[in-house]
Amino acid sequence: MCGIVGYTGTEAAKDILIDGLKRLEYRGYDSAGVALERAEAASASGCALDIHRRVGKVAGLESELACLDTASTCGIGHTRWATHGRPSVPNAHPHTSCDGRIAIVHNGIIENFAELREELERRGHRFASDTDTEVFAHLIEEAYEGRPADPATGEQAAPGCHDLLAAVREACAHVVGAYGLAAVCADEPGVIAVARKDSPIIIGRGEHGSYVASDVIAVIDATRDVVVLEDGQFARLAPEGITYTDADGAAIEPAVTHIDWDIDMAEKGGYPDFMLKEILEQPRVVRDTLVGRMGPAGELDIDELGLSLEELNLIDRVYVIACGTSYHAGLIAKNLIEGWARIPCEVEAASEFRYRNPIITPSTLVVAVSQSGETADTLAAIRDARIKGAKVFGITNVVGSPVARESDGVIYTKANKEIAVASTKSFIGQVVSLTLLALLLAQVKYRLTVGQVRMLFRELGDTAEQIQWILDTQTDAIHAAAEACCDAHSALFVGRGMGAAIANEGALKLKEISYLHAEAYAAGEMKHGPIALIDPGFPVIAVATKSPVYDKTVSNLKECEARGAKIIVVATEGDEDIREIADHVIYIPAVRDAFSAITATVPLQLLAREVALMRGCDVDQPRNLAKSVTVE
Ligand code: F6R
């Protein structure tokens, strides 16, 4: 996703920025840009800023800058992953104030940008992009240069502070949302002002100057002693040093952290593998996927849908088409779409759908789910469905991917780039996005009231903390469960209702990264065949959270216990009775059944990873698998 790098010192800023942006490429982005102070234009009253922006890879920007003969020693750079506004040069960062003398780069989302933009336009500001970020440039400009009176609100004119850091602080006071921000101003050569709220920023001092970045990887060659800025803290970087303040402008002295990771570990954020890093990011994925989705009157806002509410109201059949883990997200969605919106929903492997003759009418909605957005089977199924007259809606993690381009509308999961081959955080982003879609369908069909939708939306948001609780408290239990099954030849994952859908994802995770054979079964189906597999010590991994089918699931587990199975249960916190049949219990917080997939999948991902590590497997790059499956 988006990345920030900035430098001020004695070396060539252009090279340092490009090098840092390349280091941030792994996060995924669609455009890149830099703002460089034009040293040649420097005088006592300031300098000028050169802005260079390109859609596509950093290499393109690098070629453009190669022709630029500059002695600039201060600048900021950015890789953008589109959220508000398509990938384009005007939407790429840096964004500038009206007079071009202030430039900023920003990570995060400004929730109140629409109202801020309206106010700023009323006061005469001209916008050049569709982004939320640009309001920051104009807010800083007003704080720096002075604000005209606003007849609409009766606000008086205010004088400018002519201090970049103070202007950034003032601008932040108006913004609701998340930001990691770096700003430069032509009137203050060599100065970079930095702010942070809910979006990472690190700052470091090296031999040749001062550095800012959204990820330590971008500056690790220059310095290993960094300040990890906290929410509400601000910094002023200059060639000679760095000062820090709080939101009131009072000086502070944040602690310095020494980074002793190597480059490989730094790319992984200090974690031993990408899979763990990505599992730990899941609370953020939930939060980011929900940002801006609830309108002020409690109505859901998914305007990228490409369908009017009237068209949505006519939908009478939904197909979810996808492959692998994305298909499992579809199994969860079926429960929600049928349960809340009362619309029949079928989930099909895209590779099957394309060769069938499914019943499709103009009131059929096909939802194509794909992390990479380029899975060949899913794309072929989209094309087929559109030819047959269906509306197609894509859910993908990759901006501008073929799935996004070829669908009538799209929701982007806010997972950031996923590097481990086994999908983890993308799955959570998909399930949250599909849950939003199910709520929207229920809302337009008047199956749920606005109050119910609002309550469910709030509970959906609570899953972020619930995942965090699992990550914080259950690692020992998961490790013990992994030890209990790592030497097995085969394992069964079982559950009922939502639990059955989750079991599918648990089994896929285990088999693909540990090479231990695993199957998922609806627990009630065990006695119709699979129970024959069970002999003493055979691992049965169950999702048995407190749900309407809890007692039924427990009965099925007793049948397995009676035949000597080793039973590992994902259960609801506080369920002590389950210990009577379970050899190992992993708890998740109590959660509405509809949202249990978002939490109960997390321990199964961690379990698969632990087992794979115990078996000596490469968890990030399992054999025979590719991250994007672009062949049939
Ligand atoms: C499993 C996994 C795969 C993908 C499948 C579809 O962890 O990652 O099963 O889910 O290949 O890929 P996308 O979602 O990119 O279409």
Side-chain angles (χ1 to χ4, degrees), residues 182-449:
V184 288
C185 174
D187 295 341
E188 295 187 29
V191 173
I192 303 177
V194 178
R196 175 209 153 124
K197 181 173 172 284
D198 292 333
S199 185
I201 286 284
I202 64 101
I203 291 171
R205 178 94 190 120
E207 199 186 333
H208 302 293
S210 307
Y211 302 77
V212 55
S214 52
D215 185 327
V216 73
I217 180 78
V219 298
I220 201 161
D221 279 348
T223 177
R224 285 174 173 272
D225 293 312
V226 299
V227 165
V228 180
L229 215 59
E230 289 185 11
D231 285 351
Q233 293 184 338
F234 296 80
R236 180 184 185 277
L237 282 66
E240 65 283 1
I242 306 169
T243 52
Y244 297 90
T245 73
D246 64 15
D248 299 322
I252 51 170
E253 275 196 40
V256 173
T257 306
H258 182 71
I259 305 292
D260 51 12
W261 315 328
D262 57 23
I263 290 284
D264 182 47
M265 279 181 81
E267 281 184 345
K268 293 172 185 153
Y271 298 105
D273 48 78
F274 282 110
M275 185 177 183
L276 180 60
K277 174 175 181 281
E278 289 165 2
I279 289 173
L280 298 179
E281 282 174 38
Q282 293 179 123
R284 179 201 56 76
V285 175
V286 174
R287 286 190 203 101
D288 285 0
T289 307
L290 294 179
V291 164
R293 292 302 185 190
M294 178 58 70
E299 76 290 354
L300 281 176
D301 184 3
I302 313 184
D303 56 2
E304 317 89 300
L305 208 57
L307 291 179
S308 67
L309 296 184
E310 293 72 32
E311 283 173 302
L312 270 184
N313 194 19
L314 294 177
I315 299 296
D316 60 9
R317 181 194 297 266
V318 178
Y319 286 104
V320 182
I321 52 169
C323 305
T325 285
S326 303
Y327 169 83
H328 296 153
L331 295 178
I332 314 291
K334 175 183 168 69
N335 284 285
L336 304 180
I337 291 171
E338 293 192 340
W340 287 334
R342 308 305 295 157
I343 305 174
C345 175
E346 289 180 45
V347 188
E348 284 210 38
S351 53
E352 292 295 320
F353 183 87
R354 61 186 292 197
Y355 291 115
R356 281 201 319 114
N357 187 12
I359 300 166
I360 290 183
T361 69
S363 50
T364 302
L365 177 66
V366 170
V367 183
V369 187
S370 172
Q371 183 282 130
S372 62
E374 56 183 23
T375 299
D377 285 317
T378 310
L379 268 175
I382 290 176
R383 289 170 192 152
D384 194 48
R386 291 192 74 175
I387 288 169
K388 291 190 169 112
K391 305 266 184 315
V392 178
F393 185 64
I395 294 187
T396 181
N397 197 33
V398 180
V399 175
S401 59
V403 164
R405 289 200 308 268
E406 298 199 23
S407 300
D408 296 300
V410 64
I411 295 186
Y412 289 113
T413 52
K414 304 281 168 53
N416 293 2
K417 190 168 177 65
E418 189 174 65
I419 292 178
V421 166
S423 273
T424 53
K425 61 178 181 170
S426 293
F427 174 79
I428 296 298
Q430 289 167 348
V431 174
V432 173
S433 303
L434 286 161
T435 306
L436 286 174
L437 181 65
L439 284 172
L440 183 68
L441 288 170
Q443 183 177 287
V444 297
K445 293 271 182 192
Y446 302 105
R447 297 283 184 183
L448 291 176
T449 64

Side-chain angles (χ1 to χ4, degrees), residues 2-42:
C2 301
I4 288 177
V5 60
Y7 168 74
T8 178
T10 52
E11 303 286 293
K14 175 176 95 172
D15 300 339
I16 292 171
L17 296 186
I18 289 293
D19 198 43
L21 292 178
K22 283 185 171 169
R23 288 273 173 78
L24 295 171
E25 283 192 297
Y26 78 95
R27 299 161 66 91
Y29 65 100
D30 46 62
S31 48
V34 294
L36 289 165
E37 286 182 3
R38 199 184 308 153
E40 298 75 3

Side-chain angles (χ1 to χ4, degrees), residues 469-488:
W469 182 88
I470 297 165
L471 298 172
D472 291 344
T473 64
Q474 297 302 295
T475 43
D476 288 349
I478 292 167
H479 185 80
E483 280 182 328
C485 59
C486 70
D487 292 326

Side-chain angles (χ1 to χ4, degrees), residues 2-4 21 29-35 51-58 61 64 76-97 102-107 127-135 137:
C2 301
I4 288 177
L21 292 178
Y29 65 100
D30 46 62
S31 48
V34 294
I51 310 291
H52 297 267
R53 300 181 290 182
R54 288 285 285 248
V55 173
K57 296 290 162 201
V58 173
L61 181 68
E64 183 176 323
I76 51 178
H78 191 262
T79 48
R80 172 175 189 252
W81 191 86
T83 54
H84 293 76
R86 67 192 173 86
S88 68
V89 169
N91 287 340
H93 301 211
H95 291 288
T96 54
S97 54
I102 291 171
I104 61 144
V105 291
H106 163 236
N107 286 359
F127 279 72
S129 77
D130 304 322
T131 63
D132 55 338
T133 292
E134 198 185 342
V135 298

